[in-house]
């Protein structure tokens, strides 16, 4: 009743087509995300260091820079200048806590133990910095 199709269909799937651009693996995408979150955490840490210098923040900044460089293949991360900022200290700690939480999620999903431990430590540190003030306001 019907004649068989003798030509190729004009509707093709992408599965057979060669890609015109390089694709990244899931691991590479997670590395990029994690490096971005850790770099954002480093920026907030640098802002906190400018506002209230401490040895803990200096150590954290060095460890964060090391992890970002590792994830980016050795490239040093951009750093904020240590000039005093007008940001609220509590807001910076809240922002750092949130960014560290995002970094922890990505580090856990890519099974990066070193980055996960660092992110968890930073979350604890920023939560501890907020606790006395948060409790006093409630």
């Amino acid at each position: 009743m019907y004649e068989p199709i003798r030509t190729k269909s004009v509707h093709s799937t992408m599965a057979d087509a060669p890609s015109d651009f390089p694709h990244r693996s899931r691991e590479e995408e997670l590395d990029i995300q994690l490096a971005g979150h850790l770099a954002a955490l480093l920026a907030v840490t640098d802002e906190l260091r400018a506002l209230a210098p401490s040895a803990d923040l200096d150590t954290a900044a060095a460890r964060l820079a090391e992890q970002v460089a590792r994830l980016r293949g050795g490239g040093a991360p951009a750093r904020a200048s240590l000039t005093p900022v007008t940001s609220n200290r509590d807001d910076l700690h809240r922002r750092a806590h949130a960014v560290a939480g995002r970094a922890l999620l990505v580090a856990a999903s890519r099974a990066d133990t070193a980055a996960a431990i660092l992110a968890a430590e930073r979350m604890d540190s920023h939560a501890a910095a907020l606790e006395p003030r948060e409790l006093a306001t409630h």
Side-chain angles (χ1 to χ4, degrees), residues 19-74:
S19 64
D20 293 348
F21 53 92
H23 291 279
R24 290 187 287 258
S25 68
R26 181 176 187 276
E27 185 80 11
E28 290 169 326
E29 287 292 338
L30 289 174
D31 282 349
I32 292 167
Q33 282 184 20
L34 182 56
H37 290 313
L38 291 177
L41 183 56
L42 176 60
V44 177
T45 301
D46 282 341
E47 286 184 56
L48 280 165
R49 289 176 56 221
L51 196 60
S54 77
D56 177 52
L57 290 173
D58 292 343
T59 303
R63 290 176 63 202
L64 287 165
E66 178 183 303
Q67 289 297 318
V68 172
R70 176 182 62 88
L71 290 165
R72 289 185 176 163

Side-chain angles (χ1 to χ4, degrees), residues 2 7-8 11 21 24 26 39 57 73 85 92 94 97 114 116 118 131:
Y2 293 105
T7 60
K8 282 189 134 188
H11 304 288
F21 53 92
R24 290 187 287 258
R26 181 176 187 276
L57 290 173
V85 291
L92 288 174
R94 280 187 204 92
H97 186 271
L118 177 58
E131 271 183 15

